[in-house]
Amino acid sequence: MNRLISPIVGLLLIACGSSPTAAPTPETKDPERIQDAGSSLVDGATQNTPMPIPDAGSQPPATDAAPMDAASPNSGSPDSGSPANIPDSGSPDSNIPSPDCTPLDTKCEGLVAFTCGSGSTWKSTQCPFLCSDGACVGVCNPGDLDCQGLVPRVCNSNGQWVQKPACSFVCEAGSCTGSCVPGDRDCQGLMPRSCNASGTWVQETACSLYCGGEGVCSGVCTPGDRDCSGLVPRSCNSSAQWVTEAACPFVCGGEGVCSGSCSPTAKDCQGNIPRTCDQAGAWQSGSACPYVCGGAGVCQGVCTPLATRCNGNGSETCNASGQWVLNQTCPFVCSGAGVCSGSCAPTTKQCQGTTPQTCDGSGAWQSGSACSFVCSVGSCGGVCIPGDRDCSGLIPRNCSAQGQWVAETACQFICGGEGVCSGSCSPTAKQCSGTTPQTCNASGQWVSGSVCPYVCGSGTCGGVCVPGTKQCSGALIQTCNGSGQWDTAIACGAVQGATVACDSGTKACIATCTGTNFDCDLNMANGCEADASSDANNCGVCGHSCCGGACGSGTCGVYDTGVYGAVYDVDANNRYSTYNPAVGTVGYEINKMPRTGGSSTIIASNQPVVRAIDVFGTNVFWSVNGTVANNYQDVGIYSQPISGGTPTHYMPLMDSDSLLITATDIFTKRVDSAGIYYIPRSNDGSYNLLFGATLPDGSVNVNATYAAPFVTDGQYLYATYLTYPASNQWPIVRSPIHGGATPGGSVTTFANYAAPTGSVRYYALSTEGTNLYYLMFVGAEPVKNGLWKQPFAGGPATQLISNGGGIVASIATDGSNVYYADGNAKQIRKISVNGGSSSLIATLPSSPGNSLNFKITNECLYWYWANTGTIRASAVSP
């Protein structure tokens, strides 16, 4: 059935006016292709290939139902192969197959597509390939074959190209042909060949040696051949190239074969026989050498190796090269077959001790007669036996190894025995050893005589006195000179404030200070320069200063410094005080004056009212109460170097009337609240309450008041509390210097005597760093009134002075004594810190009515005398 498709298609194309060549007849088609086409049609596969362009003689498809060309060779009877249902082209109504159709109906008659028009009339169109449901379809004639590159194609029953598997070599008319890729080249044995356009191999001229790669002739040898390149064997490989092998050690011959046992023309020795290598690499032996065969097979040498002989005094040995070589030079004799012998060289001479010897011809020593003194180089000589010694006068001599006398350095005193110097003096010489005369004996040794009583000179005693000694001659003094004679007497000189005389014991001028005159500077050159009855720096005794006051009858009086101001301080060199040059105005000055008197220097001026001054180290501190003009912004504490400079203003507080300065802190008491504060010296802008309204019993008193002065032991600050509410008690309280855990609330009681009745009050405080000294008043027990000492570390208080209330509220201590004012006796007194009797320091004009504000420095006690408003001073030991 498949085979009937192609004839029918061909008839249809002819009937439509196509060229007879437009489609092959069954006779011209390849049966295999027809079978492939039929298979494709059965498979139903299609390819979306482009519509082929019709041949020039083909009839384009009709767009109207016009009559077919009457001249068409395919028109006529059914025998022409036209389908029976196609009208005859000569019929007038050939375009109207049927007068009755429904508009838009379609149908196919062969390759003609019909569409029913609006007048129920069929309109026809000629299809180039296929008609289906009244429409032209397809891009090829079913059953056609062609190639697309190496891919063969067949047109299926739907008029679509269907690709077959690609060809390996060539595609022609839709079929795969050939056995190679056109343009390829290869070798068939030695024969190069190329692939033509039809995919067929075409042989070219055979290669002479090798065909390789893409059919290219090459190579330099015949594969399998072998030969030699010098000593290198080589073989021809399959690519007709020589391949070298390892070089032969001796000969390469024949077809690249190594042979032989030596290199041709080489020479060597086999023992004593020379050999030469022939061209075949075999050794050929020559005649044996008489001595040595050496080097390149050459006979050489003049002796048989290892033979020995004498050559003069040299012993020689024949070496391996047959040459004589000096083995050694015999020290004495060479004899026989090069053997060294003998113990000396013939005719040489030597000495054996003092015996001369001569060497005979066999190298043996022959001895002669012994020499008397010296044997030298085999001959006798010399005048002495070497090593002997003697004296030639004072000159010692020794006999040299050559038997000759050699002089040495002359002796200073004696040469005796075997040329030995001795003695320490020349015989008969004299000298003195201190005051002992000495004479030199015959052996050159000093022999001492009797000690001289005064002087020994040139070995003889003399003089009338011992040199350097002195004697008194009335008020005169004489000195014995170095010759033992008395020099001229000299009178003792006058000394200020003293009598001078010659002391019979010391035999020296002695000055004795008279009356109240003293040698306080220990320099008698200026005599007894100090009058202890009136010298204010040496009053009564040397070194006792009156602290600027006058000395009368050897006792210091009270010194009124003339400096005004209850606010003051002192250090080792100066007194510091405040002064208002215009009373009633603002303009206070801080003055510095030498402690022993002199001109004052203004440290700071134009200050508000100064409340307190304290000197610490190289700085002076003071507190002021501020001025209305400055809105009290200038209130606070100031510091300035003693040498002068710009004051430092610390954190402002309300008026401070007390200051205590340490290395790190400033402690001060405010006037308004009477609270005690500390301010860091670092001036960080803070101030901190230590003693405030919180009381030691935990209660609060907003009117809390604390008295100055206050002191510190380095851990706590101690103060007197004035308004404790219980029974009118004024205890001594303390707080850690930086307030403890609760600022203003870490106050504890240090001293508070429990009196049965009445009040107990504590006044002035002072310390030397270990104990606290204070004044206590017990109203109901007058015997308790007085000066007390209590250790900081704990322990009971000790009463130093019992004074029934007469002690004024001022005390001070210098570590040795405590100083206090006895108001009843109108005196300033002192007592040892260990207790005992008190002693008078100064008598006061009247009983002091208030605190004296004691200050102590350099054994001087200062106080403020309110009656005159000035600072006064007295020595701590009048």
Side-chain angles (χ1 to χ4, degrees):
M1 183 174 182
N2 289 336
R3 292 184 179 273
L4 295 177
I5 295 174
S6 294
I8 295 172
V9 172
L11 290 174
L12 290 172
L13 292 174
I14 293 171
C16 293
S18 299
S19 171
T21 62
T25 64
E27 289 78 15
T28 61
K29 292 181 180 289
D30 184 350
E32 182 178 349
R33 293 188 189 176
I34 298 299
Q35 183 66 38
D36 291 342
S39 299
S40 297
L41 292 173
V42 172
D43 293 340
T46 61
Q47 292 291 329
N48 295 324
T49 57
M51 179 75 74
I53 299 174
D55 294 339
S58 63
Q59 181 67 37
T63 58
D64 297 314
M68 302 183 75
D69 188 0
S72 173
N74 294 323
S75 63
S77 65
D79 294 352
S80 62
S82 300
N85 59 354
I86 298 176
D88 186 5
S89 62
S91 175
D93 54 353
S94 60
N95 288 331
I96 305 174
S98 177
D100 53 342
C101 64
T102 302
L104 301 180
D105 281 352
T106 61
K107 67 178 180 176
C108 288
E109 290 187 3
L111 290 177
V112 179
F114 290 94
T115 301
C116 186
S118 58
S120 297
T121 302
W122 291 103
K123 293 183 180 181
S124 64
T125 301
Q126 182 67 41
C127 294
F129 300 114
L130 289 176
C131 179
S132 176
D133 293 329
C136 293
V137 297
V139 296
C140 58
N141 293 315
D144 281 358
L145 301 171
D146 76 351
C147 290
Q148 191 175 33
L150 288 177
V151 180
R153 302 190 299 179
V154 61
C155 190
N156 63 15
S157 59
N158 294 323
Q160 302 297 323
W161 290 112
V162 178
Q163 291 183 340
K164 298 172 68 177
C167 299
S168 299
F169 305 110
V170 176
C171 180
E172 183 177 2
S175 298
C176 292
T177 62
S179 58
C180 60
V181 178
D184 282 358
R185 295 182 62 82
D186 72 354
C187 291
Q188 191 174 36
L190 290 176
M191 187 71 70
R193 58 181 186 170
S194 62
C195 187
N196 63 16
S198 299
T200 302
W201 287 111
V202 177
Q203 292 184 340
E204 300 174 354
T205 304
C207 298
S208 59
L209 296 173
Y210 175 74
C211 180
E214 296 182 354
V216 178
C217 293
S218 62
V220 295
C221 59
T222 302
D225 283 357
R226 294 182 63 83
D227 72 355
C228 291
S229 177
L231 287 177
V232 179
R234 57 184 185 171
S235 61
C236 191
N237 63 13
S238 59
S239 298
Q241 301 295 323
W242 287 115
V243 178
T244 60
E245 300 172 358
C248 296
F250 304 114
V251 176
C252 180
E255 295 184 353
V257 178
C258 294
S259 61
S261 59
C262 58
S263 299
T265 74
K267 294 177 180 290
D268 76 351
C269 293
Q270 188 175 37
N272 209 31
I273 299 173
R275 300 190 302 176
T276 302
C277 187
D278 61 18
Q279 292 302 314
W283 289 111
Q284 302 299 325
S285 299
S287 300
C289 296
Y291 299 114
V292 175
C293 178
V298 178
C299 291
Q300 61 185 27
V302 295
C303 57
T304 302
L306 301 181
T308 59
R309 72 173 185 179
C310 284
N311 185 5
N313 213 33
S315 173
E316 295 181 333
T317 300
C318 189
N319 64 13
S321 299
Q323 302 296 324
W324 289 111
V325 177
L326 179 64
N327 185 40
Q328 65 173 329
T329 299
C330 293
F332 307 115
V333 177
C334 182
S335 61
V339 178
C340 293
S341 62
S343 59
C344 57
T347 73
T348 58
K349 294 186 176 188
Q350 73 170 12
C351 291
Q352 183 71 30
T354 57
T355 301
Q357 292 180 323
T358 301
C359 188
D360 61 18
S362 63
W365 289 110
Q366 301 299 323
S367 297
S369 300
C371 299
S372 301
F373 299 111
V374 174
C375 178
S376 177
V377 195
S379 300
C380 293
V383 295
C384 58
I385 297 173
D388 282 356
R389 297 183 61 83
D390 73 356
C391 291
S392 177
L394 286 177
I395 299 174
R397 304 186 299 176
N398 69 82
C399 188
S400 69
Q402 290 76 34
Q404 302 297 321
W405 288 114
V406 177
E408 299 176 352
T409 303
C411 296
Q412 182 179 2
F413 302 113
I414 294 174
C415 179
E418 296 182 352
V420 177
C421 292
S422 63
S424 58
C425 56
S426 298
T428 72
K430 293 178 179 291
Q431 71 170 12
C432 290
S433 176
T435 58
T436 301
Q438 293 179 321
T439 301
C440 187
N441 63 16
S443 299
Q445 302 299 320
W446 289 111
V447 178
S448 296
S450 299
V451 176
C452 297
Y454 303 116
V455 176
C456 178
S458 301
T460 303
C461 292
V464 296
C465 58
V466 177
T469 60
K470 296 178 181 296
Q471 72 175 4
C472 291
S473 177
L476 305 179
I477 187 168
Q478 287 181 305
T479 302
C480 186
N481 61 25
S483 299
Q485 303 299 319
W486 292 110
D487 284 340
T488 303
I490 300 175
C492 293
V495 175
Q496 176 186 350
T499 60
V500 182
C502 181
D503 183 74
S504 59
T506 61
K507 308 296 191 296
C509 292
I510 299 298
T512 302
C513 292
T514 60
T516 58
N517 298 313
F518 289 90
D519 180 20
C520 291
D521 63 1
L522 302 180
N523 179 15
M524 192 53 76
N526 61 1
C528 301
E529 81 289 348
D531 184 351
S533 66
S534 59
D535 190 334
N537 293 318
N538 300 282
C539 188
V541 295
C542 288
H544 183 212
S545 172
C546 288
C547 302
C551 176
S553 301
T555 302
C556 289
V558 174
Y559 170 50
D560 190 332
T561 66
V563 176
Y564 291 90
V567 178
Y568 78 101
D569 200 6
V570 294
D571 62 14
N573 300 309
N574 301 288
R575 291 189 301 269
Y576 305 85
S577 61
T578 180
Y579 172 67
N580 185 358
V583 178
T585 65
V586 175
Y588 277 74
E589 297 174 347
I590 306 295
N591 292 285
K592 174 180 72 174
M593 178 183 292
R595 187 174 56 82
T596 57
S599 300
S600 65
T601 302
I602 298 175
I603 295 178
S605 58
N606 295 321
Q607 298 293 307
V609 176
V610 178
R611 293 282 192 176
I613 295 177
D614 194 10
V615 178
F616 187 90
T618 59
N619 290 276
V620 59
F621 296 77
W622 68 90
S623 64
V624 299
N625 67 349
T627 59
V628 176
N630 290 324
N631 198 24
Y632 294 101
Q633 292 302 305
D634 50 358
V635 70
I637 299 170
Y638 292 80
S639 170
Q640 181 175 306
I642 293 172
S643 58
T646 302
T648 298
H649 188 192
Y650 284 87
M651 183 72 180
L653 294 171
M654 294 303 289
D655 288 349
S656 300
D657 62 3
S658 299
L659 288 177
L660 174 61
I661 311 299
T662 68
T664 57
D665 299 289
I666 300 171
F667 297 93
T668 185
K669 182 171 74 70
R670 287 177 56 163
V671 173
D672 58 345
S673 67
I676 300 176
Y677 295 77
Y678 74 90
I679 303 171
R681 287 272 303 266
S682 60
N683 199 17
D684 61 3
S686 63
Y687 63 98
N688 308 272
L689 178 65
L690 287 183
F691 295 95
T694 302
L695 306 182
D697 60 5
S699 62
V700 176
N701 181 1
V702 296
N703 297 315
T705 302
Y706 299 88
F710 34 85
V711 298
T712 180
D713 62 357
Q715 292 182 297
Y716 292 90
L717 192 74
Y718 297 79
T720 301
Y721 188 57
L722 300 182
T723 56
Y724 202 83
S727 303
N728 199 19
Q729 304 295 301
W730 293 8
I732 299 175
V733 292
R734 71 178 182 179
S735 172
I737 59 174
H738 291 147
T742 306
S746 299
V747 178
T748 57
T749 299
F750 176 75
N752 189 17
Y753 177 69
T757 60
S759 64
V760 177
R761 300 182 180 182
Y762 293 84
Y763 294 96
L765 303 181
S766 183
T767 182
E768 86 286 41
T770 303
N771 300 281
L772 182 66
Y773 300 88
Y774 52 83
L775 299 177
M776 182 174 72
F777 173 80
V778 181
E781 298 179 71
V783 70
K784 298 292 185 180
N785 297 343
L787 174 64
W788 291 77
K789 176 179 79 172
Q790 185 169 338
F792 286 129
T798 301
Q799 187 174 20
L800 299 179
I801 294 292
S802 177
N803 191 305
I807 298 179
V808 180
S810 292
I811 61 172
T813 180
D814 56 8
S816 298
N817 298 283
V818 182
Y819 302 86
Y820 64 95
D822 187 332
N824 294 336
K826 304 176 184 179
Q827 295 175 341
I828 295 176
R829 304 185 68 83
K830 70 177 179 181
I831 187 171
S832 170
V833 294
N834 298 316
S837 299
S838 65
S839 59
L840 176 67
I841 297 294
T843 300
L844 301 174
S846 61
S847 177
N850 55 4
S851 172
L852 299 181
N853 194 11
F854 285 136
K855 308 282 184 178
I856 299 177
T857 182
N858 287 41
E859 296 188 354
C860 295
L861 178 67
Y862 295 85
W863 68 89
Y864 172 68
W865 188 244
N867 294 6
T868 59
T870 58
I871 300 170
R872 295 192 171 190
S874 177
V876 296
S877 299

